[in-house]
Amino acid sequence: MGRIGYVFLYLCLAAVAVFQVFPIFWLILFSLKDNYEIFAGNPFALPEAVKWENYLSVFQGGIGTYFWNSIWTTIVSTMLTVLIASMATFVITRMRWKLSKLVLSLFLIGLMIPMHSALIPLFKMFMEAGLIDNPISIIITYTAYNLPITMMILLGFYSTIPREIEEAAIVDGSSIHRLFFRIILPISAPVLSTTVIINMIYNWNEFVFVNTFISSDKYKTLTVGMQNFIGQYMTDWGAIGATLVISFLPILIAFLFFSDRIVEGITSSAVKG
Amino acid sequence: MKAKKAIALLFGAVVAVLLLAGCSGSNDEKTSSSGSDSGDTKTVKFMHLWPEGSSKLHHQIVSDIISDFEEENQDIKIEPEVLSNEQYKDKLKVLSASNELPDVGMTWAAGFLEPYVNGNKFAALDDVIEKDLFVSGTVESYAIDNKTYGLPLELNIATVFYNKEIFNENGLEVPETYEEMQNVIQTLSDNGVAPIALGNKDRWTGSLWYMYFADRIGGSDVLTNAINRTGSFEDPSLVKAAEEVQGLVDMNAFVKGFNGLSDQEAKSMFMNKQAAMYLIATWDLPNYTTNEDVPQEFRDSVGYFNFPTVEGKGDMNSFVGGPGVGLFVSEDSEVKEEAKAFAAYFAKQWGEKSVTEAGVIPATKVDAGALDLPELYVDVLSDLNSASNITLFADVQLSPDVAQVHLNAIQALFGGEVTPEGFAKEHEDALTKEE
Amino acid sequence: MMSNKWIITLYLLPAFLLIAVLIFIPLILSGYYGLMNWDGIGIMQFIGFENYIQALQDMKFWSSALHSFLLAAFSTLSLIVYLAVALILASKIKGTNLLRKIYLIPMLLSSVAIAQLWIKVYNPTNGMLNSILMAIGIENPPEWLADPSIVLFAIFIPIIWQYAGFYILIYYAALKNIPDTVIEAAKIDGATPLQIALKIKLPLIMNVFKVTIVLAVVGSLKYFDLIYVMTGGGPNGASEVMASYMYKLAFSSNDFGYGSAIGFLLLIITLIVTVIIRKVTATKEEIEY
């Protein structure tokens, strides 16, 4: 590629970058406006009078508990999903056994269920188990519903791991546990980071399940806390914007952290493997 | 090394959570049954849809009523759960499908209520209702086969709000006939002002226009009769009403792209003076009177008028509207008596407090003279007193299934995708199928 | 050392239990509700396959299915663009580390935020899009979400945009997974960057690409969020998709039995399409599928 080609490429890349950052900029403006400016004004105009009150009403709405609940349910569900999916994908792709194809297909059917079909059956089951209004219901639901997609992503990668690696390990006398935890997991760090990011985003932004299974304020998450500002006839969009900004920050930080692991993992662990 | 630590941590977490799941699963079963009845105090679960964030004043009144009630009834504890409107409806569905309705909750009238009554989910409340307390007609909307299943809380009528300033600037006066209204629309349109704000993505908003035309052209019971099958949607006056709707659309009476706008967006256009008129129910009154977030100057410029007569026909004192939410008591409640007592107490207290404290027009009778209310409220309340008829919102009157047909057809009618005759036929087909 | 059978069971069990209990039981139950005449409130009445037969004759269902398939087609086509972006981001040119992060940021936003953003983009009078169109002299720009002939495509754009980050991220990770030695070897042989991308990188991430096709198609066929918030399926069904139609039937029209039947059909359709995709994209050396 010539010099001009590179200039052109960078111009395009920069244009897309601006386009992608715009939403964040917009969201911050949104969170500082009132309903009338939000709906009838120019979306990129600066607010006429900066409405810090939006943030104030969010904090008065008891966001602290919601925030903490969002964080811990997201972390626990994400870790569970990624670990359980890795274990399952490992035996399905790396070990030879008769029913592997069938089991895999069954797992992947889980990808196809529309969430609203599952809502009432799940509620009934949790009711029977006494898990309604208990964060466990949320965590296991998130874990289960994200397993198929996580496994799908892992599949593509696991199948590319050279057989020699495990053969070498087995010859060395490693147990299968050792092989999985000490070799396979570390070398798949980039894809694990990818699935962590994806799971995190899903869990962090989910609200239909929480809303249905949880009724106590002490277990509600940020996304449900946001519903607090939706009224029967009127909705406080400014406060919703403020909640969106507040809830965006932790996920952004986590994303930046794991995003670097995608690249890092390879160079450090592949050598060890 | 890092990886090893992380994995150990992960594994620990999994084990801990699974253990926790096992234990608390069994613990909870014990505690969950105590929700309804344990020892001396009885707990009444109460679900409502006025979250603190968006409906601060409503929420405050609810909390006050609950604490007053608990004060007077030391052995009863009220356990509230608050959801937003849409989430409330969804959760109510899930709960009823699982036979887990709260002891007291909120319901809408007529068509919404009917399946719950038929399914034996709501308790009859006739023994606790003080009928004299309520505006006549409101309690009846919650009655099926002479039994009442809901205690009405709100009462709303739809009127046309307009911006006096814009009217003055364009030398316009409040129209009393539809012909005058068409002139108003034409003048505004010629002067480059959007005449009417309408957010028809929500569909019930467009239904209000159709219902008013039906009322003015065919009289106050033509639509109700079509719905209860003593009449028909193919009645010439109802077809005419649909034609008038399309006539308005052809005049460009509504804001651009109304079929893709939500009511909230349309409202904002009206409130930002981007449209001169806005047909909405009286739940919006606080925005034009007491809401401090809205500029005083705008609130002062808003007036309202009743839907005009059409071709000399129609009674301007006949309204589209009706009760909004009401309280139900679950038939399967283990604390039914307590729940009924609470619901009755709530409805009464709500009636006393809601106008002055939240600007809501309650379904209970209000003595406007004795209260210090903004002028617009006084006018609306006196209109309510002299109302000759209130036709319940069509989407509430109809069963949920047909209501969806109606609402979609409304969008198609406004979008010019269906002829007035086709519009009538869609309703007839759906209603016939249901019989 | 435990025998393989035990290890397989042990490693599969958590996933198996979770999926069997929390996904399969509800799935079977929803198929079962589909055999009922049930408003979700009163008594259930068994009516056999009536709901399913009704669905097959229901024009609204088929038009929503068509919309879902169109979305699936667009989503799949857009994968090529994402792959190209990922190839650039994963290349050695300067600044890609920062660009990657910036490009993926919108995927962190919740559907609520994205819906609000695009509602503002599409607003017919104050919206960003129409403001620009009017500024360059187009007098009557489209009413994006109100015009039945364009609403569907108008709403595809935010959906596809919403998922861009997801796929770019997966491709990026896959590309980074390719050992440097392979690429260095090709460079020494004198291959151009384009040749390396097409002849070496692409074949190596083909497995991942196939997986994303399935994900894109399945995700599109059961898509719900933005459509429900932005248009509610309207005007008059012009942007209805299978999942939003199902939701409306079950939760708004109180036709829970019929809604469940539609949900179950959605699953069957998705399943059939997935099997076809796998057959079409399968190659001999694959053992996974």
Side-chain angles (χ1 to χ4, degrees):
Chain A
M1 232 187 315
R3 218 188 146 76
I4 297 168
Y6 269 109
V7 171
F8 182 71
L9 180 68
Y10 272 111
L11 277 179
C12 287
L13 290 174
V16 177
V18 169
F19 185 76
Q20 297 291 84
V21 178
F22 245 42
I24 311 309
F25 181 60
W26 161 81
L27 186 62
I28 293 167
L29 288 179
F30 181 95
S31 74
L32 294 171
K33 294 179 179 178
D34 61 21
N35 275 0
Y36 317 107
E37 271 190 282
I38 286 172
F39 282 101
N42 173 0
F44 283 108
L46 294 169
E48 276 167 33
V50 177
K51 285 250 163 192
W52 295 109
E53 298 96 291
N54 291 338
Y55 285 86
L56 194 67
S57 37
V58 170
F59 284 109
Q60 282 167 347
I63 197 173
T65 322
Y66 299 153
F67 199 83
W68 164 240
N69 288 337
S70 273
I71 287 185
W72 81 265
T73 48
T74 298
I75 291 177
V76 175
S77 324
T78 302
M79 290 199 312
L80 277 174
T81 313
V82 172
L83 179 65
I84 294 175
S86 304
M87 284 162 51
T89 315
F90 169 67
V91 291
I92 287 173
T93 53
R94 311 307 294 182
M95 297 176 88
R96 292 178 201 279
W97 45 292
K98 251 190 276 171
L99 295 174
S100 68
K101 269 190 192 174
L102 178 75
V103 169
L104 177 66
S105 306
L106 277 178
F107 281 180
L108 298 188
I109 287 175
L111 201 63
M112 298 162 196
I113 186 170
M115 185 176 66
H116 287 102
S117 292
L119 218 47
I120 287 178
L122 278 176
F123 185 89
K124 284 187 167 179
M125 284 160 51
F126 287 136
M127 202 70 225
E128 293 293 316
L131 288 177
I132 285 299
D133 205 19
N134 182 329
I136 304 269
S137 59
I138 296 303
I139 287 172
I140 58 177
T141 310
Y142 286 179
T143 308
Y145 279 77
N146 285 331
L147 272 177
I149 197 164
T150 308
M151 288 178 65
M152 276 295 261
I153 297 168
L154 290 175
L155 265 179
F157 290 85
Y158 270 41
S159 53
T160 59
I161 300 174
R163 289 254 167 222
E164 297 79 48
I165 290 180
E166 26 198 286
E167 275 157 19
I170 300 286
V171 170
D172 285 350
S174 309
S175 72
I176 292 193
H177 300 304
R178 211 183 134 78
L179 171 67
F180 174 67
F181 283 106
R182 300 293 294 279
I183 296 169
I184 300 290
L185 273 193
I187 63 170
S188 48
V191 61
L192 288 184
S193 305
T194 309
T195 55
V196 164
I197 291 174
I198 287 165
N199 269 285
M200 247 171 24
I201 296 170
Y202 280 3
N203 296 337
W204 187 258
N205 291 328
E206 203 284 333
F207 73 93
V208 175
F209 286 134
V210 199
N211 202 65
T212 313
F213 303 147
I214 297 296
S215 45
S216 305
D217 256 349
K218 59 175 188 271
Y219 298 134
K220 283 182 179 169
T221 59
L222 272 176
T223 45
V224 179
M226 197 166 68
Q227 301 280 321
N228 193 357
F229 299 106
I230 301 177
Q232 191 185 4
Y233 304 116
M234 271 296 254
T235 296
D236 187 350
W237 284 104
I240 289 187
T243 318
L244 286 170
V245 170
I246 293 169
S247 78
F248 179 70
L249 288 176
I251 197 84
L252 178 68
I253 293 165
F255 164 72
L256 292 177
F257 175 80
F258 282 103
S259 173
D260 283 335
R261 302 286 95 70
I262 297 180
V263 203
E264 231 172 56
I266 281 287
T267 41
S268 57
S269 61
V271 181
K272 269 187 254 160
Chain B
M1 286 315 274
K2 239 199 236 163
K4 202 169 132 193
K5 252 193 206 160
I7 287 156
L9 222 99
L10 264 172
F11 209 67
V14 176
V15 173
V17 166
L18 291 179
L19 279 176
L20 214 71
C23 302
S24 63
S26 49
N27 279 343
D28 248 54
E29 229 150 339
K30 275 177 238 148
T31 47
S32 72
S33 58
S34 73
S36 36
D37 192 353
S38 79
D40 310 338
T41 55
K42 293 185 171 174
T43 304
V44 174
K45 285 189 182 164
F46 172 45
M47 219 164 96
H48 70 88
L49 43 70
W50 294 320
E52 197 178 356
S54 63
S55 328
K56 201 167 184 186
L57 303 169
H58 290 63
H59 190 88
Q60 188 56 45
I61 300 176
V62 173
S63 308
D64 290 349
I65 296 178
I66 290 177
S67 52
D68 287 351
F69 181 79
E70 286 178 335
E71 187 97 347
E72 288 174 32
N73 302 274
Q74 295 283 347
D75 54 340
I76 304 176
K77 205 183 156 325
I78 307 294
E79 194 184 295
E81 178 183 355
V82 199
L83 293 110
S84 64
N85 197 15
E86 194 124 328
Q87 300 311 318
Y88 179 89
K89 286 183 183 166
D90 282 2
K91 186 150 184 178
L92 196 70
K93 204 60 59 64
V94 175
L95 293 174
S96 75
S98 317
N99 273 322
E100 290 293 337
L101 283 179
D103 302 308
V104 181
M106 285 183 174
T107 176
W108 286 260
F112 185 92
L113 178 93
E114 206 176 327
Y116 290 90
V117 173
N118 291 340
N120 228 355
K121 300 285 183 194
F122 289 175
L125 298 171
D126 297 275
D127 47 336
V128 291
I129 274 190
E130 294 175 54
K131 283 221 169 112
D132 301 339
L133 214 62
F134 297 93
V135 177
S136 72
T138 53
V139 173
E140 286 75 3
S141 329
Y142 293 87
I144 289 170
D145 294 335
N146 293 320
K147 282 187 190 159
T148 311
Y149 296 91
L151 294 169
L153 296 179
E154 302 171 297
L155 179 59
N156 292 296
I157 49 171
T159 58
V160 182
F161 289 90
Y162 72 104
N163 189 319
K164 292 182 203 161
E165 229 171 80
I166 300 182
F167 269 51
N168 283 338
E169 280 164 20
N170 293 277
L172 295 167
E173 279 176 31
V174 168
E176 300 214 332
T177 66
Y178 182 50
E179 292 69 34
E180 287 172 21
M181 182 138 163
Q182 284 173 311
N183 283 332
V184 167
I185 291 167
Q186 198 56 56
T187 311
L188 288 168
S189 187
D190 290 345
N191 296 350
V193 180
I196 302 166
L198 170 69
N200 206 30
K201 185 172 97 181
D202 294 327
R203 306 175 299 173
W204 53 264
T205 40
S207 176
L208 296 179
W209 286 93
Y210 168 71
M211 287 187 68
Y212 264 122
F213 278 119
D215 179 276
R216 296 298 187 259
I217 297 169
S220 61
D221 48 10
V222 61
L223 189 74
T224 311
N225 286 345
I227 291 171
N228 68 25
R229 306 315 289 143
T230 53
S232 160
F233 271 91
E234 280 164 340
D235 185 294
S237 56
L238 286 179
V239 176
K240 183 83 189 345
E243 273 170 27
E244 292 296 349
V245 164
Q246 293 195 324
L248 271 185
V249 174
D250 291 341
M251 280 184 80
N252 287 322
F254 302 109
V255 291
K256 198 170 153 57
F258 57 84
N259 250 356
L261 294 177
S262 65
D263 176 50
Q264 176 108 37
E265 288 169 276
K267 192 197 306 285
S268 300
M269 294 185 79
F270 176 65
M271 298 184 76
N272 262 356
K273 301 166 205 163
Q274 292 174 343
M277 292 176 274
Y278 176 49
L279 174 61
I280 200 70
T282 44
W283 58 65
D284 245 26
L285 277 175
N287 282 332
Y288 315 127
T289 52
T290 50
N291 188 345
E292 295 292 333
D293 294 339
V294 181
Q296 180 72 43
E297 164 252 329
F298 174 77
R299 283 184 274 158
D300 290 342
S301 70
V302 174
Y304 81 93
F305 57 86
N306 295 357
F307 202 89
T309 57
V310 180
E311 290 171 12
K313 282 185 281 182
D315 172 3
M316 279 177 71
N317 283 326
S318 174
F319 294 95
V320 170
V325 291
L327 294 175
F328 73 81
V329 169
S330 165
E331 176 72 13
D332 298 327
S333 167
E334 287 169 32
V335 288
K336 211 195 292 185
E337 290 316 308
E338 290 76 7
K340 278 185 179 178
F342 173 67
Y345 182 86
F346 189 100
K348 196 171 175 185
Q349 294 291 316
W350 178 261
E352 286 171 15
K353 293 181 175 177
S354 57
V355 186
T356 45
E357 291 175 27
V360 176
I361 297 179
T364 39
K365 287 175 189 156
V366 178
D367 182 5
L371 300 169
D372 179 25
L373 289 169
E375 201 187 314
L376 227 47
Y377 276 92
V378 178
D379 292 348
V380 167
L381 285 167
S382 90
D383 269 346
L384 263 173
N385 282 334
S386 53
S388 60
N389 162 68
I390 297 176
T391 307
L392 185 58
F393 302 113
D395 59 320
V396 181
Q397 267 194 69
L398 291 159
S399 71
D401 205 359
V402 184
Q404 290 301 317
V405 174
H406 167 70
L407 293 170
N408 279 338
I410 283 286
Q411 233 177 10
L413 181 72
F414 275 80
E417 289 179 82
V418 64
T419 61
E421 291 77 18
F423 175 80
K425 191 170 176 304
E426 273 186 54
H427 285 81
E428 280 302 304
D429 289 350
L431 284 163
T432 316
K433 205 178 101 193
E434 198 186 36
E435 272 168 16
Chain C
M1 186 172 160
M2 281 195 275
S3 78
N4 274 357
K5 212 193 252 171
W6 279 110
I7 286 172
I8 289 170
T9 318
L10 183 73
Y11 275 53
L12 277 180
L13 203 62
F16 183 78
L17 279 181
L18 282 167
I19 290 177
V21 175
L22 296 179
I23 299 185
F24 274 85
I25 295 181
L27 197 156
I28 293 162
L29 277 173
S30 84
Y32 167 77
Y33 294 146
L35 302 171
M36 300 290 159
N37 181 13
W38 187 35
D39 58 7
I41 299 164
I43 304 155
M44 277 191 223
Q45 184 198 355
F46 182 81
I47 52 166
F49 287 94
E50 224 171 87
N51 282 330
Y52 293 93
I53 294 163
Q54 188 192 338
L56 296 179
Q57 297 162 341
D58 181 350
M59 283 316 294
K60 281 190 174 159
F61 170 66
W62 287 115
S63 90
S64 67
L66 174 69
H67 298 160
S68 294
F69 273 100
L70 278 173
L71 176 60
F74 276 88
S75 305
T76 312
L77 283 178
S78 58
L79 291 180
I80 297 165
V81 180
Y82 305 150
L83 184 59
V85 174
L87 278 168
I88 295 172
L89 292 182
S91 69
K92 290 259 147 68
I93 63 173
K94 266 186 202 153
T96 50
N97 203 23
L98 178 68
L99 281 175
R100 180 187 80 244
K101 287 172 187 161
I102 291 175
Y103 280 17
L104 299 186
I105 278 178
M107 87 187 255
L108 306 174
L109 290 170
S110 67
S111 292
V112 183
I114 293 173
Q116 285 311 314
L117 170 65
W118 285 87
I119 285 172
K120 265 108 224 164
V121 170
Y122 283 136
N123 185 295
T125 32
N126 311 312
M128 298 175 221
L129 192 54
N130 279 4
S131 303
I132 295 170
L133 289 178
M134 284 189 277
I136 60 169
I138 296 169
E139 276 189 15
N140 239 333
E143 301 167 359
W144 300 99
L145 299 178
D147 185 339
S149 57
I150 46 178
V151 60
L152 194 63
F153 299 97
I155 206 157
F156 282 174
I157 292 170
I159 297 172
I160 286 169
W161 177 76
Q162 178 184 23
Y163 282 96
F166 173 84
Y167 294 107
I168 292 174
L169 181 66
I170 294 177
Y171 294 146
Y172 179 83
L175 288 167
K176 283 288 168 190
N177 213 16
I178 298 172
D180 282 345
T181 46
V182 178
I183 291 157
E184 290 307 320
K187 269 193 191 152
I188 290 164
D189 291 346
T192 65
L194 194 66
Q195 280 173 328
I196 293 177
L198 293 177
K199 299 248 170 75
I200 296 171
K201 289 181 176 174
L202 272 191
L204 280 171
I205 66 160
M206 216 46 212
N207 265 341
V208 174
F209 190 69
K210 284 174 190 167
V211 164
T212 57
I213 292 177
V214 173
L215 288 180
V217 170
V218 172
S220 303
L221 290 180
K222 66 169 196 178
Y223 190 79
F224 176 79
D225 291 12
L226 287 188
I227 293 202
Y228 187 70
V229 185
M230 288 180 65
T231 66
N236 189 30
S239 61
E240 198 86 85
V241 290
M242 285 193 281
S244 65
Y245 187 50
M246 181 226 128
Y247 169 83
K248 278 191 190 167
L249 285 171
F251 285 85
S252 305
S253 300
N254 274 10
D255 209 342
F256 200 83
Y258 189 41
S260 299
I262 300 274
F264 200 72
L265 280 179
L266 195 171
L267 182 115
I268 303 282
I269 290 173
T270 314
L271 196 59
I272 295 170
V273 174
T274 312
V275 170
I276 295 173
I277 294 173
R278 287 240 190 111
K279 286 263 185 284
V280 171
T281 60
T283 43
K284 266 186 192 158
E285 65 267 32
E286 274 182 89
I287 51 143
E288 295 83 33
Y289 307 121

